[in-house]
Amino acid sequence: MHRKWFRGLLAVLLLGASAASAMGTAESSVEFRDLWVRATVPGQPVAGAYGAIKSGTRLALVAVTSPVARRCEIHQMKTEGGMMRMRAVKELPMGAGKVVELAPGGLHLMLLDLDKPLTAGATVPFTFTFRRKSGDTFQQTVTAVVRDAGPEH
């Protein structure tokens, strides 16, 4: 009788551990919406990337890489003293359930030292590195579409 009880308890504990592990994995996922990169002209060494990012838990975006550029940076555009200024941001805090908009004239990604021009219709892979509240990091790879965009975008 004790063996059956022990096996039942063990099954419940293992099932609970499995569910907790699955929840931890689900918390690590981040949603990306409408991620796109502005097309470039020959000789243009930089491009901007835009879209929306949402996480179910509190995280910080700490790094972005792409094989099409030597460097990717998170940038913030702000008006200071009547002038628009762009500055690199070390990390981008993300609140639980909050959407972070990456848009021209605000927060965005910069691809620096491009390997070649980016033409409309092409795709660009990105690897995003996030840091959890606990301090550990995880990565998520997504693909963005290159598109022509006028000044209004």
Side-chain angles (χ1 to χ4, degrees):
M1 183 66 130
H2 290 306
R3 276 195 163 150
K4 279 187 179 180
W5 179 84
F6 180 74
R7 280 191 215 144
L9 177 61
L10 184 60
V12 167
L13 290 173
L14 289 174
L15 182 61
S18 173
S21 174
M23 282 177 34
T25 302
E27 289 177 355
S28 298
S29 69
V30 176
E31 295 175 37
F32 294 84
R33 189 177 66 237
D34 194 30
L35 195 58
W36 65 281
V37 178
R38 189 183 306 267
T40 61
V41 297
Q44 183 178 338
V46 299
Y50 314 98
I53 308 172
K54 181 181 177 184
S55 172
T57 61
R58 199 172 88 196
L59 300 170
L61 174 59
V62 295
V64 182
T65 60
S66 176
V68 304
R70 287 198 184 108
R71 225 172 57 233
C72 292
E73 294 179 353
I74 307 161
H75 279 204
Q76 169 81 53
M77 295 283 294
K78 285 187 178 180
T79 302
E80 295 175 350
M83 299 277 296
M84 283 294 279
R85 300 194 189 274
M86 182 168 54
R87 291 213 168 86
V89 176
K90 278 188 143 184
E91 65 180 51
L92 180 59
M94 300 182 61
K98 305 280 187 205
V99 175
V100 174
E101 295 287 341
L102 302 175
L107 284 168
H108 60 281
L109 303 177
M110 287 299 298
L111 290 93
L112 306 165
D113 298 323
L114 294 170
D115 291 335
K116 61 182 180 181
L118 302 176
T119 57
T123 58
V124 174
F126 285 94
T127 299
F128 290 80
T129 303
F130 296 94
R131 187 181 63 240
R132 294 183 186 94
K133 191 168 87 171
S134 63
D136 61 322
T137 60
F138 69 96
Q139 294 183 324
Q140 195 163 337
T141 300
V142 296
T143 301
V145 175
V146 178
R147 64 185 192 205
D148 285 324
E152 71 280 356
H153 282 100

